[in-house]
Amino acid sequence: MPSMHTDKAFEADLRDLREKLLAMGAKVETLIVQSMKALTDRDSALAEKVVAADKDVNRLEVDIDELCRKILALRQPAASDLRLITTALKIVTDLERIGDLAVNIAERSMDLNQAPPLAPYVDTPRLAELAQRQVRMSLDAFVSGDVAKAEEVLRGDDLLDALFLKIFNELLAYMMEDSRNIRRATALMFIAKHLERIGDHALNVAEMVVYMVRGKDIRHPQSRNLAE
């Protein structure tokens, strides 16, 4: 991360920004865990709490946006500090979308809880663990300015995608075996897709960390070279 500034007010703003992003990240991580617990424990009351908690994520998004605008207007950051602010503005959007996806999972859980469970939810809980890990590592990489950790997130996305495909095929098989499974299997497919999308947003955060530290945009595959 950038070195300490002689301008203590500027440094305080940057510290506040990092702390708010970490708080938002911790919040969406909690929502992922709770939304999956609502599914596996068939706890619709917990699912409703996840839906209600989305407003806290939205409030943090607004607070962080306002803080970034304040820093840009009053501090006129340059070089690495400017990349930090632009990275934060992009990361906050990904975190907000992760919160929305956790809410979507909670809503699907409430629907599934009205019917008997379909098998042991196949590997969906494992997929959720991988997605949460990706989110945590990408945020750790941001806070520490650790490109190596960001690159680990980039590599980890392949494992998450492979598990999603496995779950999709297993659920498809359930649907083909018995038409009575279709509605529940479809709902689980949506949940698995939401988790895969959470992984994609964590990937976006990791890519922005590489930009923040190296000044190199690797969002498109042809521009990505982890060895550099």
Side-chain angles (χ1 to χ4, degrees):
M1 300 299 294
S3 58
M4 293 292 289
H5 291 274
T6 54
D7 186 335
K8 291 183 179 180
F10 188 12
E11 183 60 35
D13 284 341
L14 294 180
R15 184 170 56 251
D16 189 24
L17 175 59
R18 296 184 194 108
E19 290 173 354
K20 279 184 165 60
L21 275 167
L22 271 183
M24 189 175 181
K27 186 67 177 179
V28 299
E29 272 193 66
T30 298
L31 294 186
I32 296 169
V33 172
Q34 290 180 335
S35 65
M36 285 304 300
K37 186 174 175 60
L39 172 68
T40 56
D41 292 358
R42 301 176 64 77
D43 188 343
S44 293
L46 180 58
E48 290 173 356
K49 290 180 180 178
V50 172
V51 174
D54 188 49
K55 66 179 184 298
D56 297 330
V57 175
N58 294 337
R59 184 176 65 251
L60 280 166
E61 180 191 21
V62 172
D63 289 347
I64 292 168
D65 280 348
E66 289 179 351
L67 179 55
C68 286
R69 288 196 295 268
K70 170 191 168 186
I71 295 173
L72 287 170
L74 299 181
R75 310 300 179 189
Q76 298 181 335
S80 61
D81 293 324
L82 180 58
R83 291 203 302 272
L84 169 63
I85 305 305
T86 56
T87 296
L89 284 167
K90 290 182 178 296
I91 286 177
V92 74
T93 300
D94 283 297
L95 292 178
E96 191 275 334
R97 284 297 300 132
I98 290 172
D100 287 345
L101 289 164
V103 168
N104 291 345
I105 292 169
E107 290 172 341
R108 291 281 178 183
S109 298
M110 285 188 278
D111 180 52
L112 280 167
N113 290 347
Q114 304 305 311
L118 181 67
Y121 300 115
V122 289
D123 286 324
T124 309
R126 172 59 179 156
L127 185 65
E129 290 174 4
L130 288 176
Q132 184 190 357
R133 179 174 180 270
Q134 289 284 90
V135 172
R136 183 184 304 115
M137 282 200 306
S138 64
L139 287 169
D140 287 347
F142 168 74
V143 171
S144 60
D146 189 339
V147 171
K149 190 168 290 186
E151 290 172 346
E152 188 178 346
V153 175
L154 302 183
R155 288 188 289 267
D157 190 60
D158 289 339
L159 178 61
L160 196 148
D161 288 344
L163 184 55
F164 165 72
L165 184 59
K166 178 176 179 286
I167 291 170
F168 182 89
N169 289 332
E170 288 178 359
L171 290 171
L172 194 60
Y174 277 116
M175 295 166 73
M176 294 174 68
E177 287 172 5
D178 190 338
S179 61
R180 291 173 297 182
N181 292 335
I182 291 176
R183 188 178 71 83
R184 287 172 295 166
T186 300
L188 282 172
M189 280 182 174
F190 275 111
I191 288 175
K193 185 60 181 176
H194 294 328
L195 291 169
E196 189 265 342
R197 287 294 298 137
I198 287 172
D200 287 343
H201 286 293
L203 183 72
N204 292 346
V205 173
E207 289 172 341
M208 289 307 302
V209 170
V210 175
Y211 165 75
M212 179 182 73
V213 176
R214 292 182 174 167
K216 180 179 180 181
D217 191 337
I218 62 165
R219 287 176 294 175
H220 302 290
Q222 61 270 27
S223 69
R224 184 180 297 170
N225 185 346
L226 300 184
E228 289 186 0

